[in-house]
Amino acid sequence: MSASRDRDDFTYEQQNDRRLDELHSKIRSLRSVTTDIYDEAERGNTHLDETINTFASFRSSLSQSANRAARALGIRGNISQYRMILYIVGGIVGLWVLWTIFSWLWWRGPAH
């Protein structure tokens, strides 16, 4: 009976060792996935920070350009910066529309 019990204990010990190895393997996989997620989050945060800095720089540059344009046009503080930007963008869009219309008429040619 003692030999049977020793054999059962040995079998249980082997099963425990296999399950422990499986558990270690799963933990390594989980650690690898967690590390990958962390690295991706860090890359995302870095990219987001760079994007925020780019937009802040663009906003500052646009603000300085609008102020210079207002000074060049002799506009004092009675017009808002955003309105000035809107006028400039509207003017560019208007010129583009006129250019498109005239080029369409030019290529179409006179009707015969």
Side-chain angles (χ1 to χ4, degrees), residues 5-44:
R5 184 176 173 103
D6 289 340
R7 190 175 41 222
D8 289 342
D9 287 344
F10 182 73
T11 302
Y12 291 142
E13 187 75 27
Q14 284 181 327
Q15 289 175 350
N16 285 342
D17 288 342
R18 278 194 305 266
R19 288 188 178 148
L20 188 60
D21 289 340
E22 291 171 5
L23 183 59
H24 282 296
S25 175
K26 288 178 183 180
I27 288 173
R28 280 191 297 275
S29 297
L30 184 59
R31 184 178 294 143
S32 174
V33 168
T34 304
T35 302
D36 291 345
I37 290 171
Y38 175 79
D39 291 342
E40 183 62 31
E42 284 296 313
R43 281 192 297 270

Side-chain angles (χ1 to χ4, degrees), residues 3-112:
S4 173
R5 184 176 173 103
D6 289 340
R7 190 175 41 222
D8 289 342
D9 287 344
F10 182 73
T11 302
Y12 291 142
E13 187 75 27
Q14 284 181 327
Q15 289 175 350
N16 285 342
D17 288 342
R18 278 194 305 266
R19 288 188 178 148
L20 188 60
D21 289 340
E22 291 171 5
L23 183 59
H24 282 296
S25 175
K26 288 178 183 180
I27 288 173
R28 280 191 297 275
S29 297
L30 184 59
R31 184 178 294 143
S32 174
V33 168
T34 304
T35 302
D36 291 345
I37 290 171
Y38 175 79
D39 291 342
E40 183 62 31
E42 284 296 313
R43 281 192 297 270
N45 284 338
T46 301
H47 183 67
L48 185 59
D49 289 342
E50 290 171 359
T51 303
I52 289 170
N53 291 339
T54 300
F55 276 110
S57 173
F58 176 72
R59 181 176 183 262
S60 174
S61 176
L62 187 60
S63 173
Q64 291 171 358
S65 296
N67 287 336
R68 284 193 300 266
R71 274 183 293 187
L73 296 174
I75 299 172
R76 301 285 179 228
N78 59 354
I79 188 168
S80 75
Q81 178 179 0
Y82 295 111
R83 190 181 302 172
M84 182 67 181
I85 292 169
L86 183 64
Y87 288 155
I88 292 171
V89 170
I92 292 170
V93 169
L95 288 173
W96 178 80
V97 168
L98 287 174
W99 179 264
T100 304
I101 290 171
F102 283 127
S103 66
W104 180 73
L105 289 174
W106 179 265
W107 286 107
R108 186 170 173 219
H112 293 286

